[in-house]
């Protein structure tokens, strides 16, 4: 599969997490059709990635193939390599199943499964130690936004998770800004103006130092192009709009057209 090094300046990252959806059969069908598409399409400057559930990781890897341009991710992983952690999965295990990227700190993990800044820091370190790509998710609630504290809040989340990294390690990290008020079925799509300040703050601190700054939150066919036009945004992390293959392929096409237009 695609190399997970850092030689990817200028790439647009376009990916989706399936969350707790799709069985092995559905995952195989999606991945098989995606592999056929990327084998023929011109996606110059676009890095696709998909993040299935743990049970479908190995099957999805098999359908994508060893030399796929699509990166495969896991939705979570424990920071310890092994031990008495019932119900957990280690970075070593998801790597063995085919994962090249690990999602860390999604707001649902923080809210429902006691994910903290401290545990995100441990997980980022573990993912880096195994040579995989950490995809760190950050985002604030509507209350924090209404108080005018969005940038401060997300920057503290990011700084806590990335504390102590070397420049080389930082260069392997992806950050996905996903405001909680904009994600999920009940989320309100963010406007471009609402996103400028958070991405300005992220860009000042992490632009050029990390592998990419992604946006996620009610991303769809109607707003993807506008979101990609925001300064400092270098990719999209998509939810339900990409759960159907047709939607994901169209979003990849939008990203490829955007790359071609900016030359």
């Amino acid at each position: 599969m695609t190399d997970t090094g850092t030689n990817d300046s200028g790439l647009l990252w376009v990916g989706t997490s399936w969350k707790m959806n799709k069985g092995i059969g559905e995952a195989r069908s999606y991945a098989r059709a995606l592999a056929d598409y990327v084998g023929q399409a011109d996606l110059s400057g676009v890095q696709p990635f998909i993040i299935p559930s743990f049970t479908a990781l190995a099957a999805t890897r098999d359908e994508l193939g060893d030399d796929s341009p699509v990166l495969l991710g896991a939705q979570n992983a424990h920071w310890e390599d092994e031990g008495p952690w019932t119900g957990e999965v280690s970075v070593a295990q998801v790597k063995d199943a085919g994962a090249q990227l690990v999602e860390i700190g999604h707001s649902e993990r923080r809210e429902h499964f006691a994910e903290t800044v401290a545990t995100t820091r441990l997980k980022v370190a573990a993912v880096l130690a195994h040579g995989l790509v950490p995809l760190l998710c950050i985002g604030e609630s509507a209350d924090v936004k209404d108080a005018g504290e969005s940038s401060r809040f997300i920057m503290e989340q990011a700084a806590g998770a990335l504390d102590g990294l070397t420049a080389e390690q930082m260069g392997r990290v992806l950050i996905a800004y996903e405001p909680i008020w904009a994600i999920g079925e009940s989320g309100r799509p963010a406007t471009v103006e609402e996103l400028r300040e958070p991405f300005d703050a992220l860009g000042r601190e992490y632009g050029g130092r990390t592998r990419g700054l992604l946006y996620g939150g009610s991303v769809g066919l109607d707003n993807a192009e506008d979101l990609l036009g925001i300064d400092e945004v270098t990719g999209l992390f998509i939810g339900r709009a990409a759960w159907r293959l047709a939607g994901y392929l169209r979003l990849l096409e939008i990203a490829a057209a955007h790359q071609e237009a900016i030359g």
Side-chain angles (χ1 to χ4, degrees), residues 16-255:
T16 180
S17 170
W18 296 346
K19 302 197 177 187
M20 200 171 69
N21 296 288
K22 300 188 187 301
I24 293 174
E26 293 173 289
R28 284 190 179 277
S29 296
Y30 188 113
R32 188 181 308 124
L34 177 58
D36 289 342
Y37 173 82
V38 298
Q40 303 174 39
D42 181 6
L43 295 177
S44 301
V46 177
Q47 175 59 70
F49 65 94
I50 56 174
I51 309 181
S53 60
F54 291 134
T55 59
L57 259 177
T60 303
R61 173 201 59 198
D62 292 345
E63 295 297 337
L64 290 175
D66 291 336
D67 299 318
S68 175
V70 180
L71 284 182
L72 182 63
Q75 294 178 24
N76 183 40
H78 199 275
W79 57 88
E80 294 286 355
D81 283 353
E82 58 186 15
W85 300 96
T86 301
E88 290 292 323
V89 179
S90 71
V91 178
Q93 288 173 319
V94 298
K95 182 178 182 179
D96 185 50
Q100 300 155 289
L101 175 152
V102 179
E103 183 180 357
I104 298 168
H106 190 279
S107 60
E108 292 161 356
R109 300 292 312 175
R110 296 178 193 261
E111 180 182 0
H112 301 296
F113 300 101
E115 191 88 292
T116 65
V117 169
T119 57
T120 61
R121 181 165 58 250
L122 291 170
K123 291 180 180 186
V124 167
V127 171
L128 289 169
H130 283 277
L132 306 188
V133 177
L135 173 59
L136 174 66
C137 298
I138 57 175
E140 84 284 13
S141 67
D143 288 343
V144 172
K145 177 184 183 298
D146 291 344
E149 296 291 324
S150 294
S151 294
R152 179 197 59 78
F153 186 88
I154 64 171
M155 294 304 289
E156 288 181 357
Q157 284 186 322
L162 305 177
D163 182 49
L165 297 188
T166 66
E168 185 276 332
Q169 290 173 322
M170 189 75 78
R172 293 157 56 193
V173 173
L174 291 169
I175 298 176
Y177 171 48
E178 295 190 297
I180 298 170
W181 48 270
I183 65 175
E185 196 168 8
S186 60
R188 173 182 68 77
T191 67
V192 168
E193 286 306 313
E194 287 175 310
L195 297 176
R196 291 196 194 280
E197 182 182 339
F199 272 102
D200 282 348
L202 287 168
R204 285 193 299 272
E205 181 64 26
Y206 298 112
R209 296 179 60 213
T210 57
R211 201 159 183 189
L213 301 175
L214 283 57
Y215 175 71
S218 297
V219 177
L221 300 180
D222 58 341
N223 64 357
E225 177 62 31
D226 289 339
L227 293 169
L228 289 172
I230 297 172
D231 289 344
E232 307 296 347
V233 169
T234 59
L236 300 173
F237 191 24
I238 307 152
R240 62 192 66 249
W243 291 351
R244 291 173 57 88
L245 181 66
Y248 184 44
L249 299 187
R250 181 66 189 119
L251 287 159
L252 289 174
E253 291 169 355
I254 290 171

